[in-house]
Amino acid sequence: MTFDHTRATDPDWENFILSDDDLHFITNLLLEREVPLTTAEMAGALLGEWRSRPAAAVSAAEDHALAYRPAESFAVGSAVRFPHLGQRRGVVIGSRRGENPGLSAFDVIQVEFEDDGPPREFAASLAEHRLNIVPTPAAPPDPTEGPDEALARMEKKLEPHLHQALSNAPDLVRIAGRWFPKALLAEIHDGHLNLAEAVLDVAQGGPLGTREVLPHVELPAGVDPLLAEFSLDYALQEDERFDEVGPAGQVLWYLRRLEPPEVLLTPPRLEYESVPHDRAALSPAALDLEASLDDELSPLAAVEQTPEEVALSLLFPHWRVGTLPLSSRLQPLFPTAYEAPRIRFILVDGHTGERFPGWVVREPRYVFGLDSWYQRHQVPCGGLVRIRRGTEKGEVIVEAIDRRKRNEWIRALTVDEAGVIGFAMAKLPVGSAYDERMIMGVPDTAALDEAWLRGPQRRMPLDRLVGQIFRELAKLNPQSAVHAQALYSAINAVRRVPPAPLLAELTRQPRYEHVGDLYWRMLDESGSRA
C-alpha cells in the first residue's frame, strides 16, 4: 500500500483489515528489534513501511479498477481494488460457485495481487455482507495539513485495527500496552518466581514495580534489560500468586494472598441481584434523580468532560463497607488500567494530608479503602464527601464537607426483637454535612449487621420490601409522604438496589400515589390514603 497526504488516500478505516504483508512486517519488526513495542510504536513503523513500498505501476487496468464489494460480480481478468485492505489492487484469475448452506447463492473469486502477495479468495454476488455498505466519503484533505500531521492522524486511526489483529495472534503476548513474541521471552522458572514472591512478602505484599523485583530474581547476565523486565512481567502474570495492580502505563505487582478480601471478592453488601423493570416508565424527573445519585449500578453514559471534583452523599452499603461508587461521574477521577481488574493507588485526606492505600475494583465498579477514614471523621451514612484529583499523578483527595461535629435529630435504623429492621427519629452525633433524604444513623452496628445477615427482609420479594420500608418511613412524616430518594437510601440498608427498579416499582404499583416533586403516599385497599 502507498499513500500521499495530499491525495487523501487513507484506507477505508471503517472496514479496514490488515493484510498478510502488514502482519508479516509487524512480526519481523518484533523479531528484529528483540524488545517489546507498544501498539503506537508498531503503527508508526507500519506507516513508514507503507511509505517505503514502491507504488504499483499505473496502467489502464488500474485506471478502471473496480472497488470490491461482495454484492458485485467480477469477471476473470477484472482489475479490483480493496478499500478494506488499504486499497491493495489485484486481478481476478478465477471464479467458482460458493458453497455455504447458511448463505444465499454466491460466487468465490480468486485474486492475484500486484504487490506479489499470495492469491486470495473473496465472496462475490453476495447480497448480505457488511462490506456492501458504502462508507461515508472521507472529508477532503486539509490543505494546511503537513506530512507529520497526516502521519499522526493516520497512526491514531491505525492503532485500534492493529490492536485487534495482534490480540488474535496466538504467538504474541501483551503486557501494559507492549507486545512481544512469546517464543523469544527469557526463561523464567519456579526458582525465579519464588524469589519474586519473597521480595513482595518483605514489602508486605507490594506494590512493587518490576524493576524493583528484577535485581533479586537473578536472571542470567547478558539478557537485554527491557526483555528481562517484560519476560518477568509475563511470568508473574501467568502465576496466580501475583496480581498486576498498576494504573495504565505502569506495571506494579502485589501478592494476591495479602490483598484485602473486599478487593478480591465483591462485599455482599454491594452485591445486586438484578430486578426486571421498565425504564421507559420512568418520568423525566425520576431519570434526573437517578443521574444525580451517583449509583455505580445505574446505566448512565460516561461524562464528556472530567469534572474538577465531585460531591456525593454516601449510600449505606458504601458507608458500611468503606467504599465509594465508581459511578459515571466519579470514574474519570480515579486511575484506570489496560487490563488489570484491580488498581492500587493512593488516597489523600484533604484535611490532614495523610496518605493511605485505596483500591479501584473495576468490574463491580467501586473504590475500597475508606472505612477508617469515615470513622475518623464521623462521616454518617448520607454524609457529604468531596472527591478530587491529587497534585501527584494517581493520587485522589477525599474530604468531608463541613466537618463540624454536632448532635442532630436524624432518621435512625432500628432492629426489633424479631430481627426486623425499621426506622425511628433519634438524636445522634454526626461529623459532616449530610443530605437530609439520605441520612441514616446507626446506633447499634452489631445488631443491624446481625439482622441484615439473618433476618427475613433481605430475601423478601422487592415489592413486599418496598411496601414494608415505605410504611416505616411514612410514619416519621406528619403528611405520611415519602420522597423517592429517602426510600432509595432506606431500602439499601437492607438490600442493594439501584434507583431505577425502585422508581419503576412506585410507578407500576397502583397503591402508590405520586403527590408531586417525587413524593409518594401509600393508599389502602379501598384506594384511600393509608
Side-chain angles (χ1 to χ4, degrees):
M1 169 186 170
T2 62
F3 69 91
D4 179 343
H5 79 280
T6 65
R7 293 170 51 205
T9 56
D10 287 37
D12 171 8
W13 292 114
E14 185 176 348
N15 296 308
F16 180 78
I17 299 174
L18 285 157
S19 70
D20 293 340
D21 287 346
D22 294 333
L23 294 175
H24 184 65
F25 168 79
I26 291 298
T27 301
N28 285 340
L29 179 70
L30 290 168
L31 294 173
E32 290 170 3
R33 297 206 183 171
E34 297 185 342
V35 292
L37 298 175
T38 65
T39 310
E41 289 170 336
M42 288 184 285
L46 182 56
L47 285 173
E49 166 66 9
W50 285 356
R51 294 184 71 189
S52 68
R53 289 176 186 172
V58 178
S59 64
E62 181 178 327
D63 287 341
H64 63 263
L66 302 172
Y68 172 72
R69 301 281 177 232
E72 304 292 337
S73 59
F74 303 91
V76 173
S78 299
V80 185
R81 59 181 174 82
F82 294 80
H84 68 290
L85 297 179
Q87 304 294 352
R88 289 180 74 188
R89 281 177 161 79
V91 176
V92 178
I93 60 173
S95 178
R96 60 178 174 82
R97 295 297 296 171
E99 297 180 5
N100 189 324
L103 298 176
S104 58
F106 68 100
D107 296 330
V108 176
I109 57 172
Q110 295 86 42
V111 178
E112 187 174 71
F113 288 99
E114 295 175 348
D115 56 9
D116 295 328
R120 292 176 59 178
E121 293 188 335
F122 299 87
S125 302
L126 179 62
E128 298 293 332
H129 196 284
R130 65 183 182 88
L131 291 180
N132 287 329
I133 302 173
V134 179
T136 303
D142 184 349
T144 65
E145 183 182 62
D148 291 341
E149 290 82 359
L151 285 170
R153 174 177 52 78
M154 291 187 69
E155 183 178 306
K156 288 296 182 185
K157 294 282 190 179
L158 177 58
E159 280 184 46
H161 297 283
L162 186 55
H163 180 275
Q164 182 177 355
L166 298 179
S167 298
N168 295 326
D171 54 341
L172 296 180
V173 293
R174 175 178 177 263
I175 299 172
R178 292 183 177 273
W179 303 84
F180 197 68
K182 190 183 298 185
L184 295 187
L185 293 173
E187 182 182 0
I188 306 290
H189 53 63
D190 287 344
H192 296 137
L193 295 173
N194 291 338
L195 289 171
E197 182 180 18
V199 171
L200 287 167
D201 231 335
V202 171
Q204 299 181 320
L208 291 179
T210 315
R211 293 180 185 179
E212 297 173 271
V213 177
L214 196 56
H216 306 279
V217 173
E218 302 176 359
L219 290 182
V223 179
D224 180 274
L226 186 58
L227 178 58
E229 184 178 343
F230 191 87
S231 300
L232 180 58
D233 280 336
Y234 179 70
L236 294 173
Q237 177 182 272
E238 296 300 298
D239 191 303
E240 63 181 12
R241 289 173 289 178
F242 307 97
D243 206 2
E244 202 282 291
V245 298
Q250 186 179 7
V251 178
L252 296 173
W253 294 101
Y254 213 99
L255 283 180
R256 194 182 300 265
R257 59 182 166 82
L258 295 181
E259 291 177 1
E262 296 88 347
V263 169
L264 294 171
L265 296 172
T266 302
R269 285 276 192 188
L270 300 182
E271 290 181 341
Y272 167 51
E273 185 175 338
S274 182
V275 177
H277 59 281
D278 182 11
R279 287 186 61 83
L282 302 184
S283 68
L287 293 173
D288 287 343
L289 175 63
E290 179 189 42
S292 72
L293 290 174
D294 284 304
D295 194 304
E296 75 278 11
L297 300 177
S298 293
L300 303 177
V303 295
E304 295 182 1
Q305 291 186 331
T306 301
E308 293 293 326
E309 61 181 44
V310 171
L312 80 159
S313 54
L314 286 173
L315 189 65
F316 180 87
H318 289 291
W319 173 84
R320 187 69 190 95
V321 178
T323 55
L324 284 170
L326 206 59
S327 66
S328 299
R329 282 202 307 156
L330 268 76
Q331 196 163 12
L333 295 174
F334 289 92
T336 187
Y338 293 118
E339 297 174 1
R342 294 165 288 277
I343 306 164
R344 207 264 201 179
F345 70 106
I346 296 297
L347 286 160
V348 180
D349 187 327
H351 309 294
T352 67
E354 178 190 357
R355 295 156 53 88
F356 55 101
W359 294 82
V360 171
V361 188
R362 294 174 64 200
E363 187 173 343
R365 300 185 65 181
Y366 62 88
V367 177
F368 175 77
L370 292 115
D371 183 49
S372 296
W373 187 82
Y374 292 156
Q375 294 183 39
R376 184 161 59 252
H377 293 294
Q378 290 186 286
V379 179
C381 164
L384 297 177
V385 176
R386 181 185 296 114
I387 301 99
R388 55 190 172 90
R389 281 184 173 172
T391 55
E392 301 293 329
K393 184 178 180 181
E395 292 183 351
V396 178
I397 297 172
V398 288
E399 297 170 331
I401 297 177
D402 186 8
R403 286 195 303 145
R404 292 183 298 110
K405 292 180 173 60
R406 63 273 198 191
N407 291 325
E408 299 272 17
W409 283 97
I410 60 174
R411 187 167 59 249
L413 288 154
T414 63
V415 179
D416 67 15
E417 294 180 355
V420 175
I421 297 171
F423 297 88
M425 297 302 294
K427 195 169 188 178
L428 296 171
V430 295
S432 72
Y434 55 85
D435 186 313
E436 291 186 358
R437 293 171 181 156
M438 299 284 287
I439 184 74
M440 291 190 298
V442 186
D444 190 339
T445 304
L448 181 65
D449 287 346
E450 181 71 14
W452 178 83
L453 185 64
R454 304 187 186 281
Q457 290 164 294
R458 189 157 56 105
R459 288 168 285 278
M460 280 184 180
L462 183 61
D463 59 343
R464 284 187 57 199
L465 180 62
V466 170
Q468 185 182 82
I469 299 298
F470 195 104
R471 293 186 187 92
E472 284 287 309
L473 297 179
K475 72 183 184 183
L476 304 180
N477 187 321
Q479 289 78 37
S480 300
V482 176
H483 195 278
Q485 184 176 354
L487 180 65
Y488 161 72
S489 178
I491 288 285
N492 273 275
V494 179
R495 175 177 171 182
R496 182 70 180 100
V497 183
L502 298 178
L503 294 165
E505 182 70 14
L506 292 174
T507 303
R508 182 180 70 87
Q509 292 280 8
R511 61 177 168 172
Y512 299 112
E513 178 189 29
H514 184 223
V515 293
D517 295 331
L518 292 177
Y519 279 95
W520 300 76
R521 286 198 181 100
M522 181 180 280
L523 306 177
D524 60 22
E525 293 182 359
S526 67
S528 303
R529 290 176 180 174

